[in-house]
Amino acid sequence: MLVASQLEPAYARTVYPCFDEPDMKATFNIRIVHDPSYVALSNMPAIGVSEMKDENGSLWSVTTFNTSLKMSTYLTAFVVCDFDYVNTTERGKEIRIWARKEAVKNGYVDYALNITGPIFSFLEDLFNISYPLPKTGEIIYFL
């Protein structure tokens, strides 16, 4: 089971009230309520996971994320899945590659893990700009 957002070109307005225009940027405080057996991902790192019960007594996880940088509405992203990940660090930034648990276990994501860091470093050097976010984003493979 997987829930993922795709808000380009103009679908952000179907998720929350907004002016879905490239020149109207904002910061976002994202909190996702989800089944405890799943993980929630978004643009920024998670700052906490808590539990809540609904009116029927069902238990839910609540994942809260850091406030985003100022960005266009259509760049906000969220995923709820039961995937697993492998990770590495490049220039102090964590890189995570998410995929189905079987794909991670069988090493199908190893190439992506090994090439992503050098690509980010190459682009930073090429454009002489450091990557501005505290994480590289979550790279998700549907293998």
Side-chain angles (χ1 to χ4, degrees):
M1 183 146 297
L2 171 77
V3 174
S5 63
Q6 170 55 36
L7 303 183
E8 291 185 78
Y11 297 111
R13 63 189 75 160
T14 65
V15 176
Y16 44 77
C18 64
F19 293 102
D20 196 8
E21 298 291 331
D23 61 338
M24 300 181 126
K25 298 178 186 211
T27 60
F28 294 88
N29 295 309
I30 296 176
R31 182 177 313 148
I32 300 174
V33 178
H34 57 94
D35 185 287
S37 63
Y38 293 88
V39 63
L41 307 171
S42 189
N43 298 76
M44 300 299 289
I47 56 174
V49 178
S50 59
E51 294 180 342
M52 65 171 271
K53 285 188 179 181
D54 65 17
E55 63 275 358
N56 298 322
S58 297
L59 187 64
W60 296 91
S61 290
V62 180
T63 302
T64 305
F65 298 89
N66 273 335
T67 301
S68 74
L69 299 178
K70 198 172 188 180
M71 62 185 188
S72 297
T73 57
Y74 57 84
L75 294 177
T76 57
F78 49 87
V79 173
V80 178
C81 63
D82 63 349
F83 286 6
D84 199 2
Y85 69 90
V86 291
N87 66 324
T88 188
T89 302
E90 181 83 15
R91 295 187 179 179
K93 305 280 186 186
E94 183 179 21
I95 297 167
R96 286 187 182 178
I97 309 297
W98 292 82
R100 291 177 304 106
K101 291 177 182 176
E102 302 81 36
V104 171
K105 181 181 174 185
N106 292 328
Y108 299 153
V109 297
D110 292 347
Y111 177 75
L113 182 67
N114 294 330
I115 197 69
T116 302
I119 289 172
F120 271 91
S121 294
F122 172 79
L123 293 172
E124 283 182 331
D125 294 342
L126 179 67
F127 295 112
N128 197 27
I129 298 172
S130 294
Y131 188 75
L133 298 176
K135 67 175 190 173
T136 59
E138 309 291 349
I139 299 171
I140 301 171
Y141 284 93
F142 303 103
L143 300 171

